[in-house]
Amino acid sequence: MPGAKLPDDEIARFESSLERDFFVLLEFNPDVQRWDPQPVRLPVEKTGTDYVPDVLVSFYPGTNGGDPRRILYEVKYREELRLRWNDYKPRFQAARRYAKEFGWEFKIITEREIRDGGLLWNAKFLLPYIYDEPDDIGTVLLEAGLRRLGPTTPTALLQASSSDRWEQARLLTTLWNLVACRYVHTDLTCPLNMNSEIWLHE
């Protein structure tokens, strides 16, 4: 999987569809500055084996500045954790100790956090639009419509912006770019559709 937030234009390799879905969320998350798949190999005490956590995520500093927050993540299905917890526990302890040395956190994330709700669906749908070249004319037109209408829907905004069907189709691409880049807001925890409420970010 490629990503603009990967180090040195790497291609991320994933070992499960759940891991791939988490990578999609990381790439889509505006708070994520960078994510490094399989960042370190750790020796696990008393087992003679090594452990490689799935991804190290660096978040942008908060409003108070300071160093970026970093979290070392392991991605696992809940049932797999339940069945193999005793096998995994020494690995996770090694990762937690390693993360603490650098002032990081270590977290386990499961399908409940990754796949519940509509965020993943929206991320998969909107992520390609993030990389579109901005359409300045379309952006001005849609922004004017949103200021005039207030909170509205994609359908109503397009109809208010143009009566031409092909122009509406072109503007829809611009609208999804603006939503993907968080300039136009919506509730991303619910699957996005043409009747979703949207509003202008101020």
Side-chain angles (χ1 to χ4, degrees):
M1 173 181 161
K5 299 177 182 179
L6 285 166
D8 304 320
D9 296 322
E10 286 184 14
I11 300 295
R13 301 182 185 278
F14 48 85
E15 298 174 343
S16 69
S17 62
L18 186 65
E19 195 173 315
R20 175 206 61 205
D21 288 348
F22 185 50
F23 290 171
V24 169
L25 290 179
L26 294 177
E27 187 69 15
F28 185 64
N29 187 341
D31 296 326
V32 170
Q33 185 178 39
R34 168 176 165 148
W35 52 283
D36 299 76
Q38 301 181 340
V40 64
R41 181 176 294 275
L42 304 175
V44 181
E45 294 180 3
K46 302 179 182 179
T47 67
T49 60
D50 292 340
Y51 164 54
V52 180
D54 288 319
V55 61
L56 174 64
V57 181
S58 301
F59 294 86
Y60 284 105
T63 54
N64 295 327
D67 295 330
R69 180 185 178 207
R70 290 186 170 90
I71 301 179
L72 195 59
Y73 282 102
E74 177 64 27
V75 181
K76 282 284 184 285
Y77 289 98
R78 295 178 68 82
E79 181 65 9
E80 186 179 359
L81 288 173
R82 187 183 69 81
L83 293 174
R84 300 189 58 191
W85 180 254
N86 289 336
D87 294 334
Y88 289 146
K89 187 176 179 179
R91 305 180 193 181
F92 299 159
Q93 289 173 335
R96 193 164 278 112
R97 285 193 297 268
Y98 182 84
K100 188 175 181 180
E101 289 180 16
F102 292 92
W104 305 344
E105 301 171 60
F106 172 71
K107 289 188 177 182
I108 303 165
I109 193 163
T110 72
E111 71 275 14
R112 180 174 293 178
E113 295 83 12
I114 295 170
R115 289 178 172 167
D116 281 3
L119 182 59
L120 178 63
W121 189 96
N122 289 329
K124 288 181 175 180
F125 171 66
L126 290 171
L127 194 57
Y129 291 98
I130 285 182
Y131 309 117
D132 285 352
E133 287 292 326
D135 174 9
D136 293 338
I137 296 175
T139 297
V140 169
L141 191 59
L142 292 172
E143 181 180 346
L146 281 164
R147 291 190 185 283
R148 187 170 66 253
L149 295 173
T152 186
T153 67
T155 296
L157 177 60
L158 295 176
Q159 290 174 348
S161 300
S162 176
S163 60
D164 182 87
R165 185 177 57 176
W166 298 108
E167 177 67 4
Q168 290 177 2
R170 186 184 69 80
L171 288 173
L172 182 58
T173 298
T174 302
L175 176 60
W176 294 149
N177 170 257
L178 296 174
V179 173
C181 295
R182 309 319 201 271
Y183 185 71
V184 171
H185 280 205
T186 189
D187 182 0
L188 289 171
T189 64
C190 299
L192 186 62
N193 60 61
M194 295 299 293
N195 294 312
S196 298
E197 186 175 59
I198 56 173
W199 61 95
L200 192 63
H201 173 59
E202 298 292 350

